[in-house]
């Protein structure tokens, strides 16, 4: 929510619109489920005494214009309700609701209000309305204006968080850059830099989803599908790295717990950016196996490694057991090895799971901290399971959790070493046995 004032809910068949009630001399709000729209407003700084009257007059004029638009919108919604009620056909009702959205139709007028009364509170509210209700093109215009000119009237960290839930597209990179450049404080800039890094490393997860769901691709523009599918460029990673380095440098001289947390998080994200992306040589890993014997990831250089961050506590991890057993058995005579990193906080739990489920490959133990243990923390693991495929030269070639993508990756890597396999076909015919 933006501010704590009353809303008028207008129910239109299956849709819900939320419109500000007309309350004199009060700044009001509108709400929506759009992630970028659900941002809290910041306290507005007082104006110098000599400028109070012109500012008040302009703010009042802007608010009056916003009230007029809201009144017109309310009337259009009421008219649409009447049309829907007078139509017996469900198909026609749905068509009306889809094609005649009053809020979307009026987005241009709200954008014009912002142009006329730029930098006013009402202008800020008009942009938030468009972000919540406008067409995709209008939402992008409104978001760019909001982040370019209104950082002092919003809580930018809320917007940073909202971008993690957005379907990736190129303009979001520009929005992160605006958040960093226009940040009110160094902490806000650091938070945006960290958010940008997290957003970027989630893009391969979306790519994996698109690869497995062609119907989703069909709903995206060609530009957006291409943006999700391609690897991040060196220049893109360098820009994020620079932002993270600046965040770390600016927090070096500050001793508060929050600043230390920012520094540590930025450092972890920077490490992943430089060392854990596809195409980079995997950093070495040293730990003990479930029998207490020390070993390293590099001990298996020369083989294709399927590095699996898992835990018996994790249902999706357990769902992969059958598939992993099949892969391990099928590739037993190939230059291939599965290595697990177990995140169960009790060693006995891990040992019992390995014996009972016949997970007969070597496993690092992540320690009593479980998912927060040293190995997963060093590799910045947040989702379980997470699987890396590492080639014979130690280069990361895949990161994700899709069985189909793992199969395809293994086929490619083994073919590069002169070993032809058909894992997917064999899995189809053997899955019932496993």
């Amino acid at each position: 929510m933006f501010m704590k004032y009353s809303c008028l809910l207008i129910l239109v068949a299956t849709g819900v619109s939320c419109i500000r009630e007309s309350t004199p001399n009060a700044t009001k709000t509108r709400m929506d489920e759009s992630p970028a729209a659900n941002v809290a407003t910041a306290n507005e700084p007082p104006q110098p005494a000599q400028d109070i009257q012109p500012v008040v007059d302009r703010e009042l004029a802007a608010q009056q214009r916003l009230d007029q638009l809201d009144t017109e919108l309310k009337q259009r919604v009421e008219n649409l309700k009447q049309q829907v009620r007078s139509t017996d056909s469900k198909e026609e009702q749905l068509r009306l609701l889809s094609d005649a959205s009053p809020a979307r139709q009026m987005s241009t007028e709200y954008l014009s209000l912002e142009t006329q009364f730029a930098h006013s509170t009402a202008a800020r509210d008009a942009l938030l309305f468009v972000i919540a209700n406008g067409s995709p093109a209008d939402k992008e215009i409104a978001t760019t204006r909001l982040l370019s000119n209104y950082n002092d009237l919003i809580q930018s960290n809320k917007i940073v968080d909202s971008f993690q839930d957005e379907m990736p597209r190129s303009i979001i990179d520009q929005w992160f850059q605006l958040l960093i450049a226009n940040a009110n404080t160094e902490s806000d800039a650091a938070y945006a830099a960290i958010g940008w890094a997290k957003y970027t490393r989630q893009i391969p997860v979306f790519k994996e989803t698109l690869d497995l769901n062609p119907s989703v691709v069909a709903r995206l523009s060609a530009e957006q599908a291409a943006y999700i599918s391609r690897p991040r460029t060196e220049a893109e990673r360098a820009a994020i790295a620079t932002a993270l380095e600046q965040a770390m440098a600016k927090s070096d001289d500050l001793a508060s717990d929050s600043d230390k947390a920012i520094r540590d998080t930025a450092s972890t994200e920077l490490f992943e950016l430089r060392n854990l992306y596809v195409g980079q040589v995997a950093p070495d890993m040293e730990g003990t196996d479930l029998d207490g014997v020390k070993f390293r990831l590099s001990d298996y250089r020369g083989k294709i490694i399927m590095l699996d961050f898992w835990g018996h506590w994790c249902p999706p991890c357990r769902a992969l057991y059958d598939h992993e057993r099949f892969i391990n058995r099928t590739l037993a005579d190939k230059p291939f090895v599965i290595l697990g990193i177990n995140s169960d906080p009790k060693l006995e739990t891990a040992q019992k799971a390995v014996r009972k489920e016949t997970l007969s490959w070597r496993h690092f133990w992540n320690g009593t901290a479980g998912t927060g243990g040293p190995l997963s923390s060093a590799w910045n693991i947040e989702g379980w399971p997470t699987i890396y495929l590492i080639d014979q030269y130690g280069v990361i070639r895949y990161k994700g959790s899709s069985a189909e993508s793992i199969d395809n990756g293994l086929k490619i890597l083994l073919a590069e070493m002169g070993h032809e396999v058909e894992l997917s076909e064999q899995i189809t015919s053997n899955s019932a046995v496993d």
Side-chain angles (χ1 to χ4, degrees), residues 314-341:
C314 161
C317 301
R318 296 198 301 271
L320 281 176
Y321 289 171
D322 284 350
H323 192 49
E324 291 173 320
R325 282 194 296 264
F326 175 77
I327 290 175
N328 191 56
R329 183 171 65 249
T330 303
L331 302 181
D333 62 341
K334 301 295 188 292
F336 166 80
V337 63
I338 302 177
L339 295 177
I341 298 91

PDB file of all heavy atoms in Angstrom, residues 314-341:
ATOM      1  N   CYS A 314      14.078 -32.057   1.764  1.00  0.00           N
ATOM      2  CA  CYS A 314      13.561 -31.281   0.621  1.00  0.00           C
ATOM      3  C   CYS A 314      12.786 -32.188  -0.336  1.00  0.00           C
ATOM      4  O   CYS A 314      13.390 -33.042  -1.003  1.00  0.00           O
ATOM      5  CB  CYS A 314      14.760 -30.630  -0.081  1.00  0.00           C
ATOM      6  SG  CYS A 314      14.479 -30.079  -1.770  1.00  0.00           S
ATOM      7  N   PRO A 315      11.453 -32.038  -0.448  1.00  0.00           N
ATOM      8  CA  PRO A 315      10.667 -32.895  -1.344  1.00  0.00           C
ATOM      9  C   PRO A 315      11.133 -32.879  -2.807  1.00  0.00           C
ATOM     10  O   PRO A 315      11.221 -33.949  -3.421  1.00  0.00           O
ATOM     11  CB  PRO A 315       9.238 -32.356  -1.187  1.00  0.00           C
ATOM     12  CG  PRO A 315       9.224 -31.773   0.195  1.00  0.00           C
ATOM     13  CD  PRO A 315      10.584 -31.176   0.382  1.00  0.00           C
ATOM     14  N   PRO A 316      11.437 -31.711  -3.409  1.00  0.00           N
ATOM     15  CA  PRO A 316      11.916 -31.751  -4.799  1.00  0.00           C
ATOM     16  C   PRO A 316      13.240 -32.504  -4.933  1.00  0.00           C
ATOM     17  O   PRO A 316      13.507 -33.102  -5.985  1.00  0.00           O
ATOM     18  CB  PRO A 316      12.074 -30.267  -5.162  1.00  0.00           C
ATOM     19  CG  PRO A 316      11.173 -29.548  -4.236  1.00  0.00           C
ATOM     20  CD  PRO A 316      11.216 -30.314  -2.957  1.00  0.00           C
ATOM     21  N   CYS A 317      14.085 -32.458  -3.886  1.00  0.00           N
ATOM     22  CA  CYS A 317      15.333 -33.216  -3.927  1.00  0.00           C
ATOM     23  C   CYS A 317      15.029 -34.713  -3.943  1.00  0.00           C
ATOM     24  O   CYS A 317      15.619 -35.472  -4.722  1.00  0.00           O
ATOM     25  CB  CYS A 317      16.210 -32.879  -2.724  1.00  0.00           C
ATOM     26  SG  CYS A 317      16.675 -31.140  -2.571  1.00  0.00           S
ATOM     27  N   ARG A 318      14.120 -35.123  -3.088  1.00  0.00           N
ATOM     28  CA  ARG A 318      13.765 -36.536  -3.021  1.00  0.00           C
ATOM     29  C   ARG A 318      13.143 -37.015  -4.334  1.00  0.00           C
ATOM     30  O   ARG A 318      13.318 -38.162  -4.747  1.00  0.00           O
ATOM     31  CB  ARG A 318      12.807 -36.803  -1.857  1.00  0.00           C
ATOM     32  CG  ARG A 318      13.421 -36.519  -0.496  1.00  0.00           C
ATOM     33  CD  ARG A 318      12.622 -37.193   0.622  1.00  0.00           C
ATOM     34  NE  ARG A 318      11.236 -36.760   0.683  1.00  0.00           N
ATOM     35  CZ  ARG A 318      10.794 -35.716   1.381  1.00  0.00           C
ATOM     36  NH1 ARG A 318      11.666 -34.958   2.072  1.00  0.00           N
ATOM     37  NH2 ARG A 318       9.519 -35.401   1.402  1.00  0.00           N
ATOM     38  N   ALA A 319      12.425 -36.112  -5.001  1.00  0.00           N
ATOM     39  CA  ALA A 319      11.790 -36.475  -6.271  1.00  0.00           C
ATOM     40  C   ALA A 319      12.816 -36.805  -7.349  1.00  0.00           C
ATOM     41  O   ALA A 319      12.498 -37.485  -8.327  1.00  0.00           O
ATOM     42  CB  ALA A 319      10.884 -35.347  -6.745  1.00  0.00           C
ATOM     43  N   LEU A 320      14.055 -36.332  -7.188  1.00  0.00           N
ATOM     44  CA  LEU A 320      15.107 -36.590  -8.173  1.00  0.00           C
ATOM     45  C   LEU A 320      15.889 -37.869  -7.893  1.00  0.00           C
ATOM     46  O   LEU A 320      16.720 -38.276  -8.709  1.00  0.00           O
ATOM     47  CB  LEU A 320      16.090 -35.410  -8.221  1.00  0.00           C
ATOM     48  CG  LEU A 320      15.656 -34.179  -9.012  1.00  0.00           C
ATOM     49  CD1 LEU A 320      16.695 -33.075  -8.864  1.00  0.00           C
ATOM     50  CD2 LEU A 320      15.483 -34.519 -10.492  1.00  0.00           C
ATOM     51  N   TYR A 321      15.658 -38.516  -6.752  1.00  0.00           N
ATOM     52  CA  TYR A 321      16.453 -39.699  -6.391  1.00  0.00           C
ATOM     53  C   TYR A 321      16.428 -40.759  -7.490  1.00  0.00           C
ATOM     54  O   TYR A 321      17.472 -41.292  -7.889  1.00  0.00           O
ATOM     55  CB  TYR A 321      15.944 -40.316  -5.088  1.00  0.00           C
ATOM     56  CG  TYR A 321      16.217 -39.549  -3.820  1.00  0.00           C
ATOM     57  CD1 TYR A 321      15.623 -39.953  -2.621  1.00  0.00           C
ATOM     58  CD2 TYR A 321      17.055 -38.434  -3.790  1.00  0.00           C
ATOM     59  CE1 TYR A 321      15.851 -39.271  -1.435  1.00  0.00           C
ATOM     60  CE2 TYR A 321      17.285 -37.745  -2.615  1.00  0.00           C
ATOM     61  CZ  TYR A 321      16.677 -38.168  -1.434  1.00  0.00           C
ATOM     62  OH  TYR A 321      16.899 -37.491  -0.262  1.00  0.00           O
ATOM     63  N   ASP A 322      15.232 -41.114  -7.977  1.00  0.00           N
ATOM     64  CA  ASP A 322      15.118 -42.149  -9.004  1.00  0.00           C
ATOM     65  C   ASP A 322      15.943 -41.790 -10.237  1.00  0.00           C
ATOM     66  O   ASP A 322      16.657 -42.625 -10.801  1.00  0.00           O
ATOM     67  CB  ASP A 322      13.653 -42.331  -9.415  1.00  0.00           C
ATOM     68  CG  ASP A 322      12.858 -43.114  -8.383  1.00  0.00           C
ATOM     69  OD1 ASP A 322      13.480 -43.661  -7.456  1.00  0.00           O
ATOM     70  OD2 ASP A 322      11.620 -43.160  -8.505  1.00  0.00           O
ATOM     71  N   HIS A 323      15.804 -40.548 -10.637  1.00  0.00           N
ATOM     72  CA  HIS A 323      16.500 -40.097 -11.843  1.00  0.00           C
ATOM     73  C   HIS A 323      18.013 -40.124 -11.643  1.00  0.00           C
ATOM     74  O   HIS A 323      18.759 -40.552 -12.535  1.00  0.00           O
ATOM     75  CB  HIS A 323      16.027 -38.679 -12.161  1.00  0.00           C
ATOM     76  CG  HIS A 323      16.455 -38.208 -13.515  1.00  0.00           C
ATOM     77  ND1 HIS A 323      16.284 -38.951 -14.654  1.00  0.00           N
ATOM     78  CD2 HIS A 323      17.055 -37.049 -13.909  1.00  0.00           C
ATOM     79  CE1 HIS A 323      16.755 -38.276 -15.692  1.00  0.00           C
ATOM     80  NE2 HIS A 323      17.221 -37.126 -15.264  1.00  0.00           N
ATOM     81  N   GLU A 324      18.455 -39.695 -10.494  1.00  0.00           N
ATOM     82  CA  GLU A 324      19.894 -39.695 -10.225  1.00  0.00           C
ATOM     83  C   GLU A 324      20.449 -41.117 -10.148  1.00  0.00           C
ATOM     84  O   GLU A 324      21.554 -41.379 -10.641  1.00  0.00           O
ATOM     85  CB  GLU A 324      20.174 -38.930  -8.919  1.00  0.00           C
ATOM     86  CG  GLU A 324      19.924 -37.440  -9.042  1.00  0.00           C
ATOM     87  CD  GLU A 324      20.038 -36.700  -7.722  1.00  0.00           C
ATOM     88  OE1 GLU A 324      19.572 -37.242  -6.695  1.00  0.00           O
ATOM     89  OE2 GLU A 324      20.591 -35.593  -7.719  1.00  0.00           O
ATOM     90  N   ARG A 325      19.698 -42.023  -9.548  1.00  0.00           N
ATOM     91  CA  ARG A 325      20.152 -43.416  -9.510  1.00  0.00           C
ATOM     92  C   ARG A 325      20.287 -43.975 -10.919  1.00  0.00           C
ATOM     93  O   ARG A 325      21.254 -44.674 -11.236  1.00  0.00           O
ATOM     94  CB  ARG A 325      19.166 -44.272  -8.698  1.00  0.00           C
ATOM     95  CG  ARG A 325      19.304 -44.135  -7.198  1.00  0.00           C
ATOM     96  CD  ARG A 325      18.551 -45.262  -6.481  1.00  0.00           C
ATOM     97  NE  ARG A 325      17.116 -45.193  -6.739  1.00  0.00           N
ATOM     98  CZ  ARG A 325      16.229 -44.611  -5.934  1.00  0.00           C
ATOM     99  NH1 ARG A 325      16.645 -44.032  -4.811  1.00  0.00           N
ATOM    100  NH2 ARG A 325      14.955 -44.605  -6.230  1.00  0.00           N
ATOM    101  N   PHE A 326      19.317 -43.658 -11.769  1.00  0.00           N
ATOM    102  CA  PHE A 326      19.378 -44.134 -13.144  1.00  0.00           C
ATOM    103  C   PHE A 326      20.592 -43.564 -13.878  1.00  0.00           C
ATOM    104  O   PHE A 326      21.303 -44.291 -14.587  1.00  0.00           O
ATOM    105  CB  PHE A 326      18.093 -43.780 -13.885  1.00  0.00           C
ATOM    106  CG  PHE A 326      18.130 -44.138 -15.338  1.00  0.00           C
ATOM    107  CD1 PHE A 326      17.965 -45.457 -15.731  1.00  0.00           C
ATOM    108  CD2 PHE A 326      18.373 -43.173 -16.299  1.00  0.00           C
ATOM    109  CE1 PHE A 326      18.029 -45.799 -17.076  1.00  0.00           C
ATOM    110  CE2 PHE A 326      18.436 -43.513 -17.630  1.00  0.00           C
ATOM    111  CZ  PHE A 326      18.268 -44.825 -18.031  1.00  0.00           C
ATOM    112  N   ILE A 327      20.808 -42.268 -13.739  1.00  0.00           N
ATOM    113  CA  ILE A 327      21.955 -41.643 -14.399  1.00  0.00           C
ATOM    114  C   ILE A 327      23.256 -42.274 -13.900  1.00  0.00           C
ATOM    115  O   ILE A 327      24.156 -42.603 -14.692  1.00  0.00           O
ATOM    116  CB  ILE A 327      21.971 -40.120 -14.147  1.00  0.00           C
ATOM    117  CG1 ILE A 327      20.826 -39.441 -14.891  1.00  0.00           C
ATOM    118  CG2 ILE A 327      23.300 -39.513 -14.574  1.00  0.00           C
ATOM    119  CD1 ILE A 327      20.688 -37.960 -14.596  1.00  0.00           C
ATOM    120  N   ASN A 328      23.371 -42.439 -12.593  1.00  0.00           N
ATOM    121  CA  ASN A 328      24.594 -42.994 -12.014  1.00  0.00           C
ATOM    122  C   ASN A 328      24.852 -44.412 -12.535  1.00  0.00           C
ATOM    123  O   ASN A 328      26.000 -44.774 -12.853  1.00  0.00           O
ATOM    124  CB  ASN A 328      24.471 -43.011 -10.490  1.00  0.00           C
ATOM    125  CG  ASN A 328      25.787 -43.312  -9.804  1.00  0.00           C
ATOM    126  OD1 ASN A 328      26.775 -42.632 -10.021  1.00  0.00           O
ATOM    127  ND2 ASN A 328      25.794 -44.346  -8.968  1.00  0.00           N
ATOM    128  N   ARG A 329      23.800 -45.196 -12.657  1.00  0.00           N
ATOM    129  CA  ARG A 329      23.943 -46.570 -13.133  1.00  0.00           C
ATOM    130  C   ARG A 329      24.252 -46.586 -14.633  1.00  0.00           C
ATOM    131  O   ARG A 329      25.132 -47.330 -15.101  1.00  0.00           O
ATOM    132  CB  ARG A 329      22.657 -47.340 -12.845  1.00  0.00           C
ATOM    133  CG  ARG A 329      22.701 -48.805 -13.227  1.00  0.00           C
ATOM    134  CD  ARG A 329      21.468 -49.533 -12.704  1.00  0.00           C
ATOM    135  NE  ARG A 329      20.231 -49.074 -13.326  1.00  0.00           N
ATOM    136  CZ  ARG A 329      19.286 -48.399 -12.694  1.00  0.00           C
ATOM    137  NH1 ARG A 329      19.438 -48.048 -11.423  1.00  0.00           N
ATOM    138  NH2 ARG A 329      18.179 -48.036 -13.313  1.00  0.00           N
ATOM    139  N   THR A 330      23.547 -45.765 -15.402  1.00  0.00           N
ATOM    140  CA  THR A 330      23.708 -45.767 -16.851  1.00  0.00           C
ATOM    141  C   THR A 330      25.089 -45.276 -17.279  1.00  0.00           C
ATOM    142  O   THR A 330      25.657 -45.762 -18.266  1.00  0.00           O
ATOM    143  CB  THR A 330      22.625 -44.882 -17.498  1.00  0.00           C
ATOM    144  OG1 THR A 330      21.338 -45.355 -17.112  1.00  0.00           O
ATOM    145  CG2 THR A 330      22.728 -44.899 -19.010  1.00  0.00           C
ATOM    146  N   LEU A 331      25.638 -44.319 -16.543  1.00  0.00           N
ATOM    147  CA  LEU A 331      26.922 -43.720 -16.921  1.00  0.00           C
ATOM    148  C   LEU A 331      28.083 -44.264 -16.093  1.00  0.00           C
ATOM    149  O   LEU A 331      29.136 -43.634 -16.002  1.00  0.00           O
ATOM    150  CB  LEU A 331      26.841 -42.199 -16.782  1.00  0.00           C
ATOM    151  CG  LEU A 331      25.744 -41.501 -17.595  1.00  0.00           C
ATOM    152  CD1 LEU A 331      25.796 -39.991 -17.384  1.00  0.00           C
ATOM    153  CD2 LEU A 331      25.853 -41.844 -19.080  1.00  0.00           C
ATOM    154  N   ALA A 332      27.887 -45.434 -15.516  1.00  0.00           N
ATOM    155  CA  ALA A 332      28.921 -45.993 -14.626  1.00  0.00           C
ATOM    156  C   ALA A 332      30.243 -46.221 -15.345  1.00  0.00           C
ATOM    157  O   ALA A 332      31.319 -46.153 -14.731  1.00  0.00           O
ATOM    158  CB  ALA A 332      28.411 -47.306 -14.020  1.00  0.00           C
ATOM    159  N   ASP A 333      30.212 -46.505 -16.648  1.00  0.00           N
ATOM    160  CA  ASP A 333      31.447 -46.770 -17.389  1.00  0.00           C
ATOM    161  C   ASP A 333      31.941 -45.559 -18.165  1.00  0.00           C
ATOM    162  O   ASP A 333      32.800 -45.672 -19.023  1.00  0.00           O
ATOM    163  CB  ASP A 333      31.236 -47.946 -18.345  1.00  0.00           C
ATOM    164  CG  ASP A 333      30.157 -47.661 -19.386  1.00  0.00           C
ATOM    165  OD1 ASP A 333      29.340 -46.731 -19.156  1.00  0.00           O
ATOM    166  OD2 ASP A 333      30.118 -48.353 -20.419  1.00  0.00           O
ATOM    167  N   LYS A 334      31.371 -44.399 -17.864  1.00  0.00           N
ATOM    168  CA  LYS A 334      31.755 -43.159 -18.558  1.00  0.00           C
ATOM    169  C   LYS A 334      32.563 -42.263 -17.612  1.00  0.00           C
ATOM    170  O   LYS A 334      32.528 -42.442 -16.385  1.00  0.00           O
ATOM    171  CB  LYS A 334      30.503 -42.410 -19.020  1.00  0.00           C
ATOM    172  CG  LYS A 334      29.596 -43.194 -19.958  1.00  0.00           C
ATOM    173  CD  LYS A 334      30.267 -43.499 -21.266  1.00  0.00           C
ATOM    174  CE  LYS A 334      29.290 -44.099 -22.277  1.00  0.00           C
ATOM    175  NZ  LYS A 334      28.823 -45.445 -21.896  1.00  0.00           N
ATOM    176  N   PRO A 335      33.305 -41.292 -18.166  1.00  0.00           N
ATOM    177  CA  PRO A 335      34.070 -40.357 -17.319  1.00  0.00           C
ATOM    178  C   PRO A 335      33.128 -39.346 -16.656  1.00  0.00           C
ATOM    179  O   PRO A 335      33.073 -38.169 -17.017  1.00  0.00           O
ATOM    180  CB  PRO A 335      35.023 -39.688 -18.300  1.00  0.00           C
ATOM    181  CG  PRO A 335      34.313 -39.751 -19.611  1.00  0.00           C
ATOM    182  CD  PRO A 335      33.548 -41.042 -19.600  1.00  0.00           C
ATOM    183  N   PHE A 336      32.392 -39.816 -15.701  1.00  0.00           N
ATOM    184  CA  PHE A 336      31.302 -39.041 -15.090  1.00  0.00           C
ATOM    185  C   PHE A 336      31.183 -39.410 -13.625  1.00  0.00           C
ATOM    186  O   PHE A 336      31.399 -40.564 -13.235  1.00  0.00           O
ATOM    187  CB  PHE A 336      29.984 -39.350 -15.809  1.00  0.00           C
ATOM    188  CG  PHE A 336      28.757 -38.886 -15.075  1.00  0.00           C
ATOM    189  CD1 PHE A 336      28.363 -37.561 -15.139  1.00  0.00           C
ATOM    190  CD2 PHE A 336      28.013 -39.773 -14.294  1.00  0.00           C
ATOM    191  CE1 PHE A 336      27.227 -37.121 -14.452  1.00  0.00           C
ATOM    192  CE2 PHE A 336      26.887 -39.353 -13.608  1.00  0.00           C
ATOM    193  CZ  PHE A 336      26.496 -38.016 -13.690  1.00  0.00           C
ATOM    194  N   VAL A 337      30.812 -38.410 -12.812  1.00  0.00           N
ATOM    195  CA  VAL A 337      30.594 -38.666 -11.393  1.00  0.00           C
ATOM    196  C   VAL A 337      29.529 -37.709 -10.864  1.00  0.00           C
ATOM    197  O   VAL A 337      29.438 -36.559 -11.310  1.00  0.00           O
ATOM    198  CB  VAL A 337      31.901 -38.499 -10.590  1.00  0.00           C
ATOM    199  CG1 VAL A 337      32.420 -37.065 -10.659  1.00  0.00           C
ATOM    200  CG2 VAL A 337      31.716 -38.939  -9.140  1.00  0.00           C
ATOM    201  N   ILE A 338      28.699 -38.222  -9.965  1.00  0.00           N
ATOM    202  CA  ILE A 338      27.792 -37.353  -9.205  1.00  0.00           C
ATOM    203  C   ILE A 338      28.444 -37.077  -7.865  1.00  0.00           C
ATOM    204  O   ILE A 338      28.944 -37.985  -7.202  1.00  0.00           O
ATOM    205  CB  ILE A 338      26.420 -38.028  -8.959  1.00  0.00           C
ATOM    206  CG1 ILE A 338      25.745 -38.404 -10.269  1.00  0.00           C
ATOM    207  CG2 ILE A 338      25.507 -37.090  -8.160  1.00  0.00           C
ATOM    208  CD1 ILE A 338      24.417 -39.142 -10.095  1.00  0.00           C
ATOM    209  N   LEU A 339      28.442 -35.822  -7.460  1.00  0.00           N
ATOM    210  CA  LEU A 339      28.893 -35.429  -6.119  1.00  0.00           C
ATOM    211  C   LEU A 339      27.761 -34.652  -5.456  1.00  0.00           C
ATOM    212  O   LEU A 339      27.257 -33.676  -6.021  1.00  0.00           O
ATOM    213  CB  LEU A 339      30.149 -34.556  -6.185  1.00  0.00           C
ATOM    214  CG  LEU A 339      31.424 -35.213  -6.728  1.00  0.00           C
ATOM    215  CD1 LEU A 339      32.543 -34.175  -6.791  1.00  0.00           C
ATOM    216  CD2 LEU A 339      31.845 -36.402  -5.872  1.00  0.00           C
ATOM    217  N   GLY A 340      27.341 -35.091  -4.285  1.00  0.00           N
ATOM    218  CA  GLY A 340      26.289 -34.395  -3.566  1.00  0.00           C
ATOM    219  C   GLY A 340      26.837 -33.470  -2.498  1.00  0.00           C
ATOM    220  O   GLY A 340      27.941 -33.694  -1.982  1.00  0.00           O
ATOM    221  N   ILE A 341      26.100 -32.418  -2.200  1.00  0.00           N
ATOM    222  CA  ILE A 341      26.369 -31.573  -1.029  1.00  0.00           C
ATOM    223  C   ILE A 341      25.110 -31.642  -0.190  1.00  0.00           C
ATOM    224  O   ILE A 341      24.088 -31.039  -0.531  1.00  0.00           O
ATOM    225  CB  ILE A 341      26.695 -30.111  -1.399  1.00  0.00           C
ATOM    226  CG1 ILE A 341      27.957 -30.029  -2.240  1.00  0.00           C
ATOM    227  CG2 ILE A 341      26.878 -29.273  -0.136  1.00  0.00           C
ATOM    228  CD1 ILE A 341      27.686 -30.106  -3.722  1.00  0.00           C
TER     229      ILE A 341
END
